Amino acid sequence: TPGGGPRIKEEKIVVTVRLRPLSKKEQVVKDQVAWECIDDQTIVYKPPSQERSITPMSHTYDKVFGPSSITETVYEEGVKNVALSALMGINATIFAYGQTSSGKTYTMRGITEKAVNDIYRHILDTPERDFTIRISGLEIYNENVRDLLNLDSGRNLKLLDDPEKGTMVEKLVEERAKDDKHLRNLISVCEAQRQVGETALNDTSSRSHQIIRLTIESSLRDNSGCVRSLVASLNLVDLAGSERASQTNTDGARLREGCHINLSLMTLTTVIRKLSVGKRSGHIPYRDSKLTRILQHSLGGNARTAIICTLSPALSHVEQSRNTLSFATRAK
Ligand code: ADP
Ligand code: MG
């Protein structure tokens, strides 16, 4: 864009939906597709047996991406503006919300990759500014915080309140990325650490949240020799499975045993709902969970948020898909 900087849309919370294709497994058991994206903002429930006379209920969002959409499109059309705002000194959070196996990790890995590309492209295009990029990675499991770049620090890092910086994670490693290759390496270290946990503890990934935080600082020496700097974080968040967001299904049945509710996820949904209502919503309970404390300065206020709600198309998952869409609707 003219003027050098990326163009930023005004919206504070962008809500998108990504419907993945039917998986091999689902095809093998002859599960069927129950959802269709009818344009780039609308998704409808359309089970195979639906009678023609019934008009399907449609749901609209800022963008919806169908099963043939690639992650690049999700990035470009859904979240790029939010990601790039961190280059302009505005804190940003991008997260994927959806039931286990709906495509959160698949989507966030791709989005992270595209965001890193874009950040370094912007750095090349902006030689007048000096940039520093730092990365930290953490996992929240059972309200315990673990450093993904330093496993020796234990599984339960403390949160500290810093009057200026807000909530900090004690002893969390922040590595300065020398270049884009180094940054990609550090990101894959975080991803690998989470996977290690996954095999050891069976299904940690459905219960844990992963945050990759890129802190982008840039400075510019103006004509009078003054240095002007900008600093902001981009938080890339792969959430626990949304089946842990509430105690009851929409039909009121209790979730199956062992499917404990997740305090951080439940608090995040409350925070997002209150933020979307705006000024009249009253107290926002950031302090009720580790996830929302850590993200407080990157949600609400001047911060920008992009939510990608991931959906399985399968008929057998309709109940969870409805829950996800109802979260998406309330976030808007
Ligand atoms: P989650 O993190 O929500 O539990 P995953 O990202 O692990 O789900 O996705 C579950 C499976 O579906 C993985 O094998 C993944 O590769 C595949 N998958 C997810 N989204 C897509 C997509 N949009 N296109 C193709 N395959 C996908
Ligand atoms: Mg996952």
Side-chain angles (χ1 to χ4, degrees):
T1 44
R7 199 166 53 88
I8 294 168
K9 270 207 305 183
E10 282 304 306
E11 267 166 301
K12 291 264 162 81
I13 303 182
V14 177
V15 182
T16 68
V17 170
R18 183 182 205 183
L19 178 65
R20 70 157 163 77
L22 215 51
S23 69
K24 289 252 159 60
K25 246 199 223 158
E26 289 161 342
Q27 287 173 28
V28 166
V29 299
K30 302 228 159 28
D31 210 333
Q32 286 178 296
V33 169
W35 301 89
E36 194 179 314
C37 298
I38 55 171
D39 62 40
D40 72 345
Q41 290 194 299
T42 315
I43 182 166
V44 296
Y45 175 59
K46 222 173 172 190
S49 61
Q50 181 110 45
E51 287 165 40
R52 297 233 162 129
S53 57
I54 300 172
T55 316
M57 256 268 275
S58 67
H59 308 259
T60 62
Y61 303 99
D62 292 323
K63 275 277 177 196
V64 305
F65 302 98
S68 58
S69 295
I70 56 173
T71 303
E72 172 134 41
T73 310
V74 179
Y75 176 76
E76 289 287 332
E77 298 179 12
V79 305
K80 181 183 172 129
N81 289 326
V82 172
L84 294 185
S85 64
L87 288 160
M88 320 292 283
I90 299 166
N91 288 333
T93 299
I94 300 174
F95 63 82
Y97 179 100
Q99 76 175 112
T100 298
S101 90
S102 59
K104 296 180 298 298
T105 302
Y106 179 93
T107 297
M108 284 314 298
R109 287 190 173 174
I111 294 295
T112 301
E113 153 109 40
K114 307 286 172 220
V116 169
N117 288 345
D118 249 10
I119 287 166
Y120 280 93
R121 191 173 309 131
H122 179 82
I123 292 175
L124 274 179
D125 289 347
T126 320
E128 66 278 16
R129 297 192 80 94
D130 284 328
F131 284 88
T132 307
I133 303 203
R134 282 168 287 140
I135 173 177
S136 56
L138 61 85
E139 182 180 57
I140 304 172
Y141 179 75
N142 267 338
E143 294 301 289
N144 290 330
V145 178
R146 180 166 84 112
D147 189 341
L148 294 173
L149 287 175
N150 176 21
L151 296 185
D152 295 337
S153 61
R155 292 192 163 265
N156 193 5
L157 298 179
K158 277 209 198 94
L159 300 192
L160 304 171
D161 289 306
D162 183 284
E164 272 179 27
K165 295 181 178 167
T167 299
M168 311 274 293
V169 180
E170 192 178 41
K171 298 190 198 132
L172 186 71
V173 167
E174 242 198 341
E175 286 245 24
R176 181 179 168 164
K178 293 196 277 277
D179 52 29
D180 64 326
K181 187 164 169 252
H182 185 212
L183 182 59
R184 283 176 216 285
N185 275 335
L186 293 166
I187 290 170
S188 41
V189 168
C190 293
E191 285 170 351
Q193 292 309 346
R194 195 185 185 204
Q195 278 181 326
V196 168
E198 212 166 303
T199 34
L201 275 156
N202 218 326
D203 68 337
T204 29
S205 85
S206 77
R207 294 160 186 263
S208 72
H209 311 281
Q210 177 193 265
I211 303 177
I212 289 177
R213 174 172 283 177
L214 305 180
T215 301
I216 305 170
E217 199 167 344
S218 72
S219 56
L220 176 72
R221 193 174 290 278
D222 70 13
N223 294 336
S224 60
C226 273
V227 176
R228 295 163 186 275
S229 5
L230 290 173
V231 61
S233 308
L234 170 59
N235 299 274
L236 298 149
V237 186
D238 187 359
L239 292 173
S242 59
E243 64 275 13
R244 297 171 197 283
S246 70
Q247 210 142 20
T248 52
N249 279 318
T250 45
D251 63 1
R254 281 188 84 84
L255 282 180
R256 66 182 192 281
E257 219 179 309
C259 204
H260 299 295
I261 63 158
N262 183 302
L263 180 67
S264 276
L265 193 61
M266 205 179 60
T267 308
L268 179 72
T269 62
T270 307
V271 164
I272 294 289
R273 182 161 39 80
K274 290 198 165 226
L275 288 173
S276 79
V277 173
K279 291 207 174 66
R280 288 172 297 109
S281 65
H283 172 71
I284 300 181
Y286 290 108
R287 299 198 58 83
D288 287 2
S289 79
K290 297 271 169 76
L291 178 69
T292 48
R293 279 180 73 187
I294 291 168
L295 290 177
Q296 175 162 5
H297 289 269
S298 298
L299 292 171
N302 287 322
R304 304 203 53 217
T305 304
I307 304 172
I308 307 168
C309 291
T310 53
L311 226 59
S312 157
L315 193 56
S316 64
H317 288 150
V318 159
E319 211 52 58
Q320 284 300 335
S321 297
R322 283 191 197 286
N323 288 346
T324 298
L325 290 180
S326 101
F327 166 75
T329 300
R330 279 178 281 126
K332 213 32 226 170

